[in-house]
Amino acid sequence: MRRFLIHHVLPLVLCLVPVAAAGLVAASIPIDARAYYIERVKTSAIDWLILAFGSALFLTQIALVWKALQWRGDDFDERPDSWLTHLAQAAEWFPLLGLLGTVAAIMQTFNSTDFRPQEIIKRYAPAI
């Protein structure tokens, strides 16, 4: 039983932590902001690209976590795991995706030509 817990249950629980955190972040988005984004995503190709690339990276990272947490053999292997290196490299892409989304939203905001400073702030807020 102990072996089953260490080999299977513990890695599964640790892999589900980021998934649960992502769900909590999505649930905590204000309703108005969520509705605005859903309307915007319907016509924005860059948002689809960011969502697809981000989802692929997130799922890859979860798979790498699962692989890195697998306990091999009867004793703990204290050597560095090569999968952890891949995991760290995959995690470096997430801030880049956020920056890309921010820059794209800023460019879309200032692409409009006829609006007041209050409108700039209102349209700039989703980019932040």
Side-chain angles (χ1 to χ4, degrees), residues 45-113:
I46 189 72
D47 286 325
W48 281 106
L49 178 68
I50 290 170
L51 287 172
F53 192 53
S55 297
L57 280 175
F58 183 74
L59 292 174
T60 301
Q61 190 173 18
I62 294 299
L64 291 173
V65 166
W66 174 260
K67 180 68 177 162
L69 289 173
Q70 294 300 304
W71 182 35
R72 293 172 207 79
D74 294 329
D75 196 10
F76 285 107
D77 186 5
E78 295 186 15
R79 292 177 292 149
D81 190 354
S82 64
W83 286 99
L84 289 177
T85 305
H86 299 305
L87 181 62
Q89 290 171 350
E92 292 174 2
W93 285 93
F94 287 110
L96 179 63
L97 284 175
L99 181 62
L100 181 63
T102 301
V103 169
I106 290 170
M107 289 176 15
Q108 286 177 350
T109 298
F110 292 112
N111 191 24
S112 311
T113 57

Side-chain angles (χ1 to χ4, degrees), residues 22-42 126:
L24 286 174
V25 167
S28 68
I29 297 173
I31 294 171
D32 293 340
R34 188 179 313 134
Y36 174 78
Y37 185 72
I38 289 171
E39 283 300 315
R40 193 180 115 100
V41 110
K42 291 178 183 176

Side-chain angles (χ1 to χ4, degrees), residues 109-110 115-126:
T109 298
F110 292 112
F115 52 84
R116 304 181 320 247
Q118 293 83 5
E119 286 294 316
I120 292 175
I121 294 170
K122 179 181 175 186
R123 293 180 182 197
Y124 190 76

